[in-house]
Amino acid sequence: MQLLMCPPDYYGIEYEINPWMNRSRRSDLQLANEQWSALRRVLQERCAIDIHVIDAEPGLPDMVFTANAGLVWQNKFIVSNFRHEVRRREAVHFAAWFRHQGFEIVHLPQEYFFEGEGDLLKCGDSWLAGYHIRSDIGAHQKIAEIIEQQILSLELASEWFYHLDTCFCPLSDKQALFYAPAFDPYACRVIENHIPHLIAVSPAEAARFACNAIVVDKCVVMNDGCPQVHEQLEGIGFTVFETPLSEFLKAGGSAKCLALIIQ
Ligand code: ARG
């Protein structure tokens, strides 16, 4: 597996676009750097993942959350249309990086917001996508046409869990971590009908971003302080690596948000 990460060189809590962000709760840049490097090391050394790195850009404090850059599909990179003005300028830098790597850059119509893998996850052969808070359901339809795959659209219902990857985490084609209170009732039913083995995450561990984990085969990498999920995952044969990501939680992000799947 190959992932794209962006170092937190210009990371900080400079605006408030989700309820976790509070400009008076500043992040510690040195600690953020240490945590980011530790995450990168775990992914490379314990999970044998290839990490590609894009340069951070001044004035784009959330660029570190590469999961929101877009979606890689075969030789195409579908660039995000960020909902919030403050993140919109990230898109040109991600598009330039992928163009340079030889990918064809695909833009969605301007009127559809789309925040990349943050809101679009593959579970086995199915694609699940979140909408309402950041991405639009119209974007899902456009992407479904591009990738020629069916996408199940799930309405998100809590501002605290504003991207799909904050409340849902595919573990295999039949298993996922799931925080039901983040979804509207119909979306819950769609998930329950579609995925036979759901691990319900507690409110406390959902708030520690237990669902925002990176999964590679039987390896799971996540923020620390999620003992119940940790134990349940080990019980079904996963090896869990916890790594502290406190500085990124202050922006409403954790492990999964900090990486984008290239392949
Ligand atoms: N501060 C960022 C935002 O609100 C955090 C993004 C987290 N990314 C994610 N994939 N959940 O946009």
Side-chain angles (χ1 to χ4, degrees):
M1 176 178 260
Q2 298 183 26
L3 297 176
L4 178 65
M5 294 179 70
C6 175
D9 298 354
Y10 305 101
Y11 173 64
I13 314 299
E14 292 174 15
Y15 44 75
E16 297 170 4
I17 55 171
N18 68 57
W20 307 94
M21 300 177 92
N22 180 337
R23 266 169 295 181
S24 61
R25 274 200 332 133
R26 306 207 73 83
S27 52
D28 175 329
L29 192 54
Q30 196 193 325
L31 185 56
N33 263 297
E34 288 166 17
Q35 293 181 342
W36 185 87
S37 301
L39 173 66
R40 177 181 175 175
R41 261 198 316 275
V42 174
L43 293 169
Q44 284 176 317
E45 292 168 16
R46 312 302 290 268
C47 311
I49 298 174
D50 263 350
I51 304 293
H52 297 253
V53 175
I54 180 173
D55 289 339
E57 292 291 331
L60 295 175
D62 274 338
M63 195 173 162
V64 68
F65 298 113
T66 52
N68 298 125
L71 178 78
V72 178
W73 173 255
Q74 295 169 350
N75 68 333
K76 294 186 171 71
F77 177 63
I78 307 172
V79 199
S80 286
N81 277 340
F82 286 93
R83 180 168 299 263
H84 295 284
E85 178 63 42
V86 284
R87 293 200 66 183
R88 232 161 263 163
R89 262 190 324 114
E90 293 177 30
V92 292
H93 300 289
F94 286 117
W97 191 88
F98 277 97
R99 190 177 298 114
H100 187 73
Q101 305 291 314
F103 286 81
E104 177 192 338
I105 308 302
V106 180
H107 293 274
L108 297 170
Q110 285 288 308
E111 62 270 31
Y112 297 128
F113 293 124
F114 171 59
E115 298 205 350
E117 247 175 45
D119 268 328
L120 183 56
L121 297 170
K122 197 164 188 257
C123 190
D125 287 333
S126 312
W127 290 87
L128 292 96
Y131 73 94
H132 186 67
I133 301 181
R134 292 295 183 85
S135 300
D136 289 323
I137 198 165
H140 300 174
Q141 286 158 8
K142 290 284 166 202
I143 292 163
E145 285 166 23
I146 297 166
I147 68 177
E148 297 177 311
Q149 307 278 319
Q150 197 195 350
I151 293 178
L152 294 176
S153 294
L154 306 166
E155 182 173 348
L156 300 177
S158 163
E159 289 289 335
W160 291 92
F161 299 94
Y162 55 93
H163 281 137
L164 183 66
D165 69 0
T166 63
C167 45
F168 181 81
C169 176
L171 298 165
S172 71
D173 53 346
K174 294 189 176 57
Q175 299 165 305
L177 298 174
F178 173 48
Y179 182 57
F183 293 88
D184 102 310
Y186 182 73
C188 282
R189 264 190 286 147
V190 172
I191 293 175
E192 284 159 3
N193 288 340
H194 213 79
I195 299 163
H197 303 292
L198 290 169
I199 297 180
V201 174
S202 71
E205 295 196 359
R208 301 277 314 155
F209 280 70
C211 297
N212 199 247
I214 298 173
V215 183
V216 197
D217 302 321
K218 285 287 181 183
C219 262
V220 179
V221 181
M222 59 162 65
N223 185 33
D224 62 0
C226 302
Q228 292 173 335
V229 167
H230 190 140
E231 205 185 304
Q232 282 180 288
L233 288 173
E234 290 197 334
I236 53 170
F238 286 90
T239 305
V240 180
F241 300 100
E242 291 191 19
T243 188
L245 293 165
S246 61
E247 296 319 292
F248 300 101
L249 260 64
K250 293 174 182 171
S254 184
K256 175 67 200 82
C257 306
L258 293 166
L260 177 78
I261 300 171
I262 300 178
Q263 77 177 42

